[in-house]
Amino acid sequence: LNNRMEKLYNKEQDLIKNNNQNQNSNSINSFTNIKIDSQNNIYCLGTYINSFAYGSTVLEQPPSDVFSINHFVCKFLADHTESWIIDMSNYTVTDMHIDASDTVYFATTYSETIPIEFNNGLINNLPSVTDFANDSAIFKIDSNKNYISSFPLYGDGDQSVSKFTISSINSIRV
């Protein structure tokens, strides 16, 4: 376990160092959660303010959201090259897990529904938020950024998932 943690830490430091070289000086970016799948691919949650360069993709926040924190989910291949990124915009991405078959799950909190683009289409069918509350959803995608499903968690008042787990039979525990 210590050897795996040390490798994860070293990969994280390499990713941060290499990625920071490509960033605009007006940007404030961070990786907030890093996981490794069975093929040694690296998945990250992260945040950006202003813009975030990821390979040939540049995420930019709308000018009206000048001081908002935007979120993303991304994948690096085992050799640290960029594979894909999902701009979650003003959805707050709070936690992520990878199951034994390399399916990726991540939790979000949102105050307004906006479409999210995956390889196999645009998802825009989350329940609308009412009464200035926050709602949450857990997304399930494959390792190629294809949407599989989402599990909305909504109701009266604020709904927020900060942590969740995936059981050995791939059930979600919030």
Side-chain angles (χ1 to χ4, degrees), residues 95-97 105-107 138 161 163-166 172-174:
D95 199 12
M96 173 178 56
H97 292 280
Y105 301 79
F106 58 93
I138 295 177
V161 175
K163 296 285 181 194
F164 69 96
T165 59
I166 304 295
I172 299 171
R173 296 182 181 157
V174 179

Side-chain angles (χ1 to χ4, degrees), residues 82-102:
E82 294 94 352
S83 178
W84 52 255
I85 191 164
I86 302 169
D87 186 359
M88 297 301 294
S89 191
N90 63 356
Y91 282 67
T92 300
V93 185
T94 56
D95 199 12
M96 173 178 56
H97 292 280
I98 301 171
D99 69 18
S101 61
D102 294 339

Side-chain angles (χ1 to χ4, degrees), residues 101-132:
S101 61
D102 294 339
T103 302
V104 180
Y105 301 79
F106 58 93
T108 64
T109 300
Y110 59 96
S111 58
E112 65 177 295
T113 56
I114 57 169
I116 301 169
E117 189 170 344
F118 296 92
N119 275 350
N120 58 343
L122 199 62
I123 303 305
N124 58 3
N125 61 348
L126 290 178
S128 295
V129 177
T130 59
D131 300 329
F132 304 105

Side-chain angles (χ1 to χ4, degrees), residues 8 12 15-16 28-35 42-49 52 69-74 76 88 91-97 106-107 162-163:
L8 178 60
E12 176 185 49
L15 290 173
I16 291 168
I28 301 170
N29 309 315
S30 67
F31 293 115
T32 59
N33 190 324
I34 298 176
K35 305 285 185 195
I42 305 161
Y43 298 83
C44 303
L45 301 182
T47 60
Y48 70 96
I49 295 175
F52 179 73
I69 297 173
N70 297 279
H71 294 253
F72 61 86
V73 179
C74 67
F76 292 91
M88 297 301 294
Y91 282 67
T92 300
V93 185
T94 56
D95 199 12
M96 173 178 56
H97 292 280
F106 58 93
S162 59
K163 296 285 181 194

